[in-house]
Amino acid sequence: MKIRGLTISKISAMHYGKLVFRILLFLSAFAMYVVSKVQGSDVLFAPVEEDYPIVIWIICAIFIIEMALRFFPSSMESMGCQKQFKRVYSPAHGNPRPDVQSDRLTLKIALGWCALNGIFGVLHLCGVIDYGIMFLLCLAYSLCDIICILFFCPFQTWFMKNKCCGSCRIYNWDYAMMFTPLLFVKHVYTWLLLGLALGLLIHWEIIFHTHPERFSETSNLALRCENCPEKLCHHKKQLQKFLKENPQLRKLAGRIK
C-alpha cells in the first residue's frame, strides 16, 4: 500500500484503521457521556444503551474478537505479539542465549500500572468519579495503545529500552492494561473483556517463561531488523525527523508534556 510515495505495510495499514476506529469510538463515547450528564441520566451511554443496546455488544464483540485472534498465529498481526508462536520462530545459529528484559523490571511496570489504576479505582469507590469515567479511561487507554505502536511509546523509551515493538517484552499486556479500570465496574460485558484480557496475559507469560528464546533477536532471527516485514518503527523515526525539522512543533509538544 502506497500513500504519496510512502510504502505502508498491511500491518501498518491495519493499525491506522484501528487508530481511526478508536478515535471515533472515544469521541462518540465522550459525547454521549456529556449528553447523559446534561440530561441527568444515570445511564452512561443513554442514547445508545436505552434505545440501541446491541451497539454496545457489537463494540465489545470487536474487542473480544481482536483478543481471541491473539491466541493463534496470524499473518495480519504484528511480530510483537506473534513471536510467541513456534510457527514464526527462526532459531539463530549456535542457539545463543536469549537476551530478554528482566522479570524484576516487568514486575515494577505491572505494579506501577496497578498503582496508577488503583488511584482511579479508589476515587470511583469513594464516589468521586462514576463508572462512566472508568469506561472512558479504558477507551483512552485503547487509543494510547495504538499511538504507542505507531508514534511514541513511553514504556519502550523510558523503561523497557527495547529497540522496537517486535522485541517488546510486554506487547501482549496491552489488552489487560487497557481494560484494567473495568475491574471496578460490575457488568457482564466488563467481565468478559477483562477475563479474556487476563487470559491473554497469562498465556503470554507462560510461553515467555517456557520458551524465552522466541522473544529475543539474539536467538530468534525473525525479530531482527533485516527480516522485519512491517517496519512499524519507521513511523516513529519519521515523526522524530518531522519534529526535528519543525522546532516550533517540538517546543509545543514539550509544553504539552
Side-chain angles (χ1 to χ4, degrees):
M1 180 178 179
K2 292 185 177 182
I3 300 177
R4 294 183 180 180
L6 296 176
T7 301
I8 305 296
S9 67
K10 292 181 180 179
I11 303 298
S12 298
M14 179 195 70
H15 282 97
Y16 275 112
K18 284 186 176 182
L19 178 64
V20 172
F21 169 72
R22 293 184 183 184
I23 288 175
L24 294 176
L25 185 59
F26 175 78
L27 293 177
S28 299
F30 181 77
M32 285 187 284
Y33 176 76
V34 172
V35 170
S36 297
K37 287 300 178 183
V38 171
Q39 294 178 346
S41 174
D42 293 330
V43 181
L44 170 58
F45 305 124
V48 173
E49 285 190 273
E50 293 178 347
D51 300 323
Y52 306 99
I54 188 64
V55 174
I56 301 295
W57 284 103
I58 291 175
I59 294 173
C60 290
I62 291 174
F63 284 110
I64 288 173
I65 291 172
E66 286 183 7
M67 287 188 283
L69 292 176
R70 285 280 185 91
F71 286 99
F72 308 97
S74 171
S75 59
M76 284 304 296
E77 274 286 5
S78 170
M79 182 58 70
C81 65
Q82 291 296 295
K83 60 178 176 280
Q84 62 179 308
F85 298 112
K86 182 179 180 180
R87 193 182 78 173
V88 298
Y89 172 55
S90 179
H93 301 295
N95 295 318
R97 183 178 180 179
D99 181 18
V100 295
Q101 289 92 346
S102 68
D103 288 334
R104 181 177 297 180
L105 175 60
T106 53
L107 179 60
K108 289 180 179 179
I109 292 175
L111 292 176
W113 186 257
C114 290
L116 171 64
N117 286 275
I119 295 174
F120 293 114
V122 171
L123 291 175
H124 172 63
L125 295 175
C126 292
V128 177
I129 59 178
D130 59 18
Y131 82 100
I133 296 297
M134 305 301 282
F135 272 107
L136 291 175
L137 190 59
C138 287
L139 295 179
Y141 286 161
S142 74
L143 180 55
C144 290
D145 174 53
I146 302 299
I147 292 175
C148 285
I149 294 173
L150 291 176
F151 305 114
F152 174 76
C153 177
F155 295 101
Q156 174 189 353
T157 305
W158 298 332
F159 304 108
M160 306 300 294
K161 306 296 183 180
N162 51 289
K163 67 170 186 175
C164 66
C165 292
S167 60
C168 180
R169 162 71 175 83
I170 61 173
Y171 194 101
N172 250 28
W173 288 21
D174 54 349
Y175 285 103
M177 297 174 80
M178 186 188 309
F179 296 130
T180 302
L182 296 184
L183 180 65
F184 303 95
V185 181
K186 296 181 180 180
H187 200 287
V188 175
Y189 53 73
T190 63
W191 295 335
L192 287 173
L193 291 171
L194 186 58
L196 190 55
L198 290 176
L200 194 64
L201 171 62
I202 293 171
H203 179 260
W204 172 268
E205 287 300 309
I206 289 175
I207 295 180
F208 174 79
H209 286 94
T210 54
H211 297 285
E213 69 279 0
R214 301 179 187 177
F215 293 76
S216 171
E217 67 172 324
T218 59
S219 52
N220 187 358
L221 296 177
L223 299 182
R224 298 186 180 180
C225 294
E226 60 268 23
N227 299 320
C228 177
E230 43 197 86
K231 308 299 182 183
L232 286 172
C233 60
H234 286 189
H235 299 290
K236 296 177 181 178
K237 292 178 180 178
Q238 288 172 354
L239 177 62
Q240 293 171 357
K241 181 180 179 181
F242 178 75
L243 291 175
K244 186 176 181 180
E245 294 174 348
N246 296 270
Q248 292 180 345
L249 290 177
R250 185 173 57 189
K251 290 180 181 179
L252 178 60
R255 290 175 182 173
I256 293 175
K257 288 182 181 180

